[in-house]
Every structure is written in C-alpha cells, then in structure tokens.
Amino acid sequence: MKYSILAASLAASAVASPSHNHHHHHHHAKKEAAKVEKRAANVVTTVVVGPTATQYVLDGKPVDPAAAKAGLAQGEYVIVGETQPTYVPPPPPPPAPSSTSGDMKAQFIEEAVSTAPASTSTSIPPPPPATSAKPSTSQAAPKSSAPAQQPSGGTGLTANFPSGKIPCSQFPSDYGAVALDWLGTEGWSGIQYVPGYTLASTVINEIITAVSGQGCKPNAMCSYACPAGYQKTQWPQAQGSTLESIGGLYCNADGMLELTRPSHPTLCQQGAGGVTVQNDLDDSVCTCRTDYPGIESMVIPACANGGASIPITNPVESDYYVWDGKQTSAQYYVNKKGYSAGDACVWNSAKDPKGAGNWAPVNLGVGKTADGTTWLSIFQNLPTSTALLDFNIEITGDVSSKCSYINGVWTGGSNGCTTSMPSGGSAIVRYF
C-alpha cells in the first residue's frame, strides 16, 4: 500500500520577559520526509504556557482533522512528526546577587516537522506518536542489565583534519570521530543531502535527510559523533532557508570530505568541562545528546555502566553553534536504566517505542554563557512522552540551588528544575 506523509503539529504559546524573546519556527525539509527535529533556544525569565492545538498537514496543505483521523485509522496516512514545545520553569534567583543582575536560563526544546504547519488550527486531541505505518501495540521489552557498551574509537583527537584529502566513503575515525554503527548510515550520526549548496551559499534551500542504508556521498553534509566530553566542530555558515540546522563535514563533488569550519581544523573539541554524569545504579544508563546542528536526532551516546562516571559536553556558547542569531546549548535525553546505546540513542527505539529515544522520560540541558556561568536543567520530556524514569536524579557540586527528581517529585518546579554553576566549578548529574 502507498502511504501519504502526514505531519501533525501541536503548537503551544509562550510569553517571555520583554528583554529576552524566544521565537518558535517550524522547519521544512524538501523532497523527503525528515525525522522530527529538536532545537535548543535562548534565555527567558518568565514563561507562561498557553493553549495547544493540533494541525495536520499533507504536502504543505492543511488536512481536515476528521479526514486526517479517518485516514490514520484506515492506514492511509503516516504521521512523520509532531511539533511539541516544552519547557522547564526558571529557577529561583541565585543566592549571591552580583552588580549586574543575571537572568535565569530556561531550557526550551522545539520539535520541528518536515512539512510547514498549516496557518489555521483545530483543537482536537493529539494522535499518539507513530513509529510505523500502523500504530504499535507491542509492550516494551524487558530491560537488560548488560553493559551500556559506549562505542569505541575517536583516536587522533588533536590531529588536524586533511580537508579535501579523505574520500567520503572513509569514516574519519582517525581524527576523533566515533562511528555509530547501529544507525545504518555508515557510522555517521546524520547525513543531509544539500544538492544546491556551494561555498558561496548564504542559505540552503533543499535539504534531504538520509535514512538507514544511505551514506555520505557528493553534495552531502555528513555529521559525526565525538567521544564523551567532546563535541563536533564542523557546520557550514549557510543554514536552512527556513531555519533548519545543518552540520558536519561536506562531501564535495569529487567525493572528498571538506572542513566546513576551517577555523577549527580538528573534528572534535572539548567544551568548558566541569559536568559529569555519575551512575550510582547497578544498571547502565545512556544519556543521549542531539546531533546538533544537523538532523537533531538524539543519537550521540554518553553511556555509563553501573558505578561509573562519564563526562558530558558543556558547550561554551560563544564558540558554539548560533541559530537565528541566538546562542545555543547542549540537549540530552536521559533514558531508563539497562538500555544499550542502540536501544536508547535512536529516534524510534524498538526496545521501548514509547519510553526511549525521542520518548525518553527526561531531558537534560547544559551550556556555559558568556559571563562564565554554566546552566544545567533537568525536566520531564512533556508533552512528547508520558514515560517515567525508573531511578532518581540530582545535580550536586558547585551549584546555586537544589535541583533533583526523587521518587517522582521535582524540586524547583512541577516538571523540572534549573540550577547554575560558576566558572571554574564542577557539577555532577547523579543517577541513583
């Protein structure tokens, strides 16, 4: 049966203080339905969540909700994405005020769909996330206590990458990149085909996201993972014409990999440091970062076995990706215990379709701002997921306020909390 691609958009309004504006944008990837994408955003001080409404879109045109629901029920449509902004409330003021008052950082996440949303909306209950042509009725598989198996590789972290000298068919593991073999994209964390791109491009109008079984080939941006505690350095200055993020090395017309930020000749770099995940559980836990800028799927693993610690990247926002004129931070997905990287660091998890990957229970945001402050947020992955974490979290160390999720209860807010760490400090995101 031939299925039509249907996008479901659940829009929410947010009101911020006049000094910090947050604008929501929906992204359009042409010619192929890309996965739903996630986006970080900027600083706000006061947030009010407004009503939500569901919109259905087919080929860029609105679809009557009743017709959409009937088509879904008959298997004629496939939902490929949802736009569902969520937030964590700003934390209380820091205990020691400075001469210049600082605004608390709220971690926003925006999911973008592969089709522009309709201009009008109708209030109906949102459909469940679709992982296949027909809704899944299978239950999550039993959890395993096997080691998390953090992917190996990433040698040559300090070696300069020989731009234009390595074929696109050769994954650059000798220059710091870590292959994510479970994704089926030849080790790359994400691939975006950009047939109209040139070095002179200021925007990129055509973006086609690769799927499993496809690889890095001419006229593609090929994104990659780095070892835990490191992040990629490469993304082109030109970005999507409707504000899609694009990242990675460029596979040129000759089939050779080129740097997209020659000012950063190594493929991976550390951030500000100072942030560690400490897993005090008996089982492994995977904390999965979004491939950003890029396809923005949560595939970059930081998997800690029981009793182990692992660094997570704390981007220095002044030397990190700028989206629509705004500095951005790192976004992570905290999965349930006992899941491997292949179970957790994916968009759709076969092991737990409604409780892992994009539907992991909890999000974590980390980033260091220009004043030297590192902001850390943990918050429920609402409304995307109703899954609950099967362990506790607390952020300890040199932090300004208590931030935790213990026995299903959040400190600092009903669905999450945010705290800060001064320059030179250290923070532990503890699982127990």
Side-chain angles (χ1 to χ4, degrees), residues 327-348:
Q327 294 180 335
T328 60
S329 59
Q331 302 288 340
Y332 297 86
Y333 287 67
V334 183
N335 282 267
K336 300 172 188 176
K337 61 185 179 182
Y339 288 15
S340 69
D343 295 326
C345 298
V346 292
W347 187 267
N348 291 314

Side-chain angles (χ1 to χ4, degrees), residues 149-420:
Q149 297 179 338
Q150 177 73 9
S152 60
T155 60
L157 282 167
T158 61
N160 288 347
F161 183 76
S163 186
K165 303 295 184 183
I166 292 180
C168 304
S169 59
Q170 180 179 331
F171 186 80
S173 55
D174 291 339
Y175 298 90
V178 175
L180 308 184
D181 294 327
W182 63 87
L183 299 179
T185 48
E186 300 180 350
W188 301 98
S189 58
I191 301 171
Q192 295 165 297
Y193 300 120
V194 287
Y197 172 78
T198 69
L199 292 177
S201 297
T202 57
V203 295
I204 300 175
N205 293 307
E206 189 171 13
I207 305 162
I208 305 169
T209 301
V211 297
S212 181
Q214 296 180 315
C216 184
K217 62 184 182 181
N219 301 115
M221 293 292 174
C222 303
S223 189
Y224 55 91
C226 291
Y230 287 77
Q231 65 189 17
K232 74 181 178 198
T233 60
Q234 300 302 304
W235 55 84
Q237 183 174 359
Q239 294 289 296
S241 58
T242 50
L243 299 177
E244 304 93 337
S245 77
I246 299 170
L249 294 166
Y250 178 58
C251 181
N252 66 24
D254 297 324
M256 308 300 282
L257 294 169
E258 292 183 0
L259 293 171
T260 48
R261 290 177 79 209
S263 60
H264 291 67
T266 62
L267 296 190
C268 299
Q269 69 179 22
Q270 290 178 297
V275 182
T276 303
V277 163
Q278 178 178 314
N279 181 10
D280 288 336
L281 299 165
D282 293 332
D283 288 328
S284 61
V285 176
C286 283
T287 307
C288 308
R289 184 179 176 181
T290 55
D291 179 28
Y292 182 68
I295 67 168
E296 303 184 29
S297 189
M298 54 298 298
V299 296
I300 311 295
C303 298
N305 290 325
S309 297
I310 192 167
I312 58 173
T313 312
N314 174 16
V316 179
E317 295 184 358
S318 59
D319 189 35
Y320 187 49
Y321 177 66
V322 175
W323 174 80
D324 194 29
K326 304 172 182 67
Q327 294 180 335
T328 60
S329 59
Q331 302 288 340
Y332 297 86
Y333 287 67
V334 183
N335 282 267
K336 300 172 188 176
K337 61 185 179 182
Y339 288 15
S340 69
D343 295 326
C345 298
V346 292
W347 187 267
N348 291 314
S349 173
K351 184 182 185 71
D352 190 353
K354 295 184 180 180
N358 182 54
W359 290 271
V362 168
N363 297 124
L364 164 68
V366 181
K368 183 176 181 178
T369 53
D371 65 358
T373 302
T374 291
W375 297 95
L376 303 102
S377 296
I378 50 175
F379 49 102
Q380 200 74 33
N381 186 15
L382 291 172
T384 301
S385 175
T386 58
L388 298 176
L389 208 58
D390 52 358
F391 55 87
N392 300 322
I393 306 179
E394 64 177 356
I395 302 178
T396 64
D398 304 317
V399 293
S400 62
S401 58
K402 183 176 178 62
C403 185
S404 64
Y405 174 78
I406 299 176
N407 297 327
V409 178
W410 294 94
T411 60
S414 60
N415 292 314
C417 54
T418 302
T419 189
S420 63

Side-chain angles (χ1 to χ4, degrees), residues 58-105:
L58 177 63
D59 295 331
K61 298 180 181 179
V63 177
D64 178 75
K69 293 172 71 176
L72 287 167
Q74 296 172 9
E76 296 176 354
Y77 293 143
V78 178
I79 294 179
V80 297
E82 297 174 299
T83 300
Q84 297 176 316
T86 66
Y87 78 101
V88 61
S98 60
S99 57
T100 303
S101 61
D103 292 315
M104 299 296 96
K105 187 176 189 90

